[in-house]
Amino acid sequence: DLDSQQLALRRTQEVLHVHSETITTLERTNVALRSQLLRLEATRESEQHTLQQEVEKASFDALRYSETLLDIESRKSELQRVSNKVTSLNQLLDAKNKEVGGLKQQLDSALTSLQKKDQELHYLMGGDPVSYTHLRAHETPEHLVCRLLLEKKKK
């Protein structure tokens, strides 16, 4: 009975070690995603500023040309060009916003996963000792892969 408890304790420690490594990996991924998100947000802000300047310049050009050109068709053509440029710039801005949104979703997903692993680790560390059979009964596909890899490594 003592041997089975010690075996269960060792297995629990192995699972805790795997969880700890998983949490460390998730934390690193979280940091990398946050860093990438910050870079993308800085790029997006810079591009927004540049785009805003281009939109203002395009608007100014449209106003200046509309006042100086006599030919109505010329003014329509120029206004259409500016409108297309604004539309193109807005589409580019929308694409960047979607990219940032996707990264935020990845970050949220990684954070949720990290929180779930933290709760599992907290449960395993804070609860009463359980049998190896009990641990196997609650084994997830991720735990199974880790356990099989650890058993293979021991051989």
Side-chain angles (χ1 to χ4, degrees):
D1 187 50
L2 181 59
D3 287 343
S4 67
Q5 287 180 349
Q6 287 176 339
L7 178 62
L9 179 60
R10 267 187 265 134
R11 299 259 190 230
T12 301
Q13 288 171 340
E14 290 172 1
V15 169
L16 287 174
H17 178 72
V18 169
H19 279 297
S20 177
E21 288 176 351
T22 302
I23 287 171
T24 300
T25 301
L26 287 172
E27 287 172 344
R28 286 182 187 143
T29 302
N30 188 9
V31 167
L33 286 172
R34 283 184 185 274
S35 175
Q36 187 177 8
L37 177 63
L38 289 174
R39 284 192 307 272
L40 281 172
E41 285 178 345
T43 301
R44 182 186 58 125
E45 287 177 13
S46 174
E47 288 177 357
Q48 278 181 323
H49 180 70
T50 301
L51 292 174
Q52 184 62 35
Q53 287 177 335
E54 288 183 23
V55 167
E56 289 173 4
K57 184 182 181 317
S59 296
F60 176 75
D61 288 344
L63 178 62
R64 185 171 50 101
Y65 285 124
S66 67
E67 292 174 350
T68 58
L69 296 177
L70 299 175
D71 186 352
I72 293 174
E73 290 302 315
S74 292
R75 282 187 264 158
K76 284 182 180 180
S77 175
E78 185 61 25
L79 288 173
Q80 186 61 47
R81 183 191 66 79
V82 171
S83 176
N84 289 344
K85 189 172 184 178
V86 169
T87 300
S88 175
L89 293 172
N90 283 334
Q91 289 172 346
L92 180 61
L93 184 59
D94 288 344
K96 290 296 179 181
N97 283 335
K98 286 179 183 177
E99 187 176 328
V100 168
L103 286 173
K104 283 183 181 179
Q105 286 177 344
Q106 288 178 2
L107 182 60
D108 289 344
S109 175
L111 184 58
T112 300
S113 178
L114 181 61
Q115 288 170 340
K116 186 184 285 184
K117 294 294 181 186
D118 186 48
Q119 288 173 352
E120 290 175 11
L121 183 60
H122 181 351
Y123 172 79
L124 289 173
M125 290 177 69
D128 294 329
V130 294
S131 70
Y132 180 68
T133 304
H134 178 82
L135 289 175
R136 292 284 301 276
H138 296 285
E139 192 171 52
T140 66
E142 293 85 358
H143 296 146
L144 176 62
V145 168
C146 291
R147 181 175 58 80
L148 293 175
L149 288 173
L150 286 171
E151 288 175 4
K152 183 177 179 182
K153 185 178 179 182
K154 286 182 182 180
K155 290 179 182 177

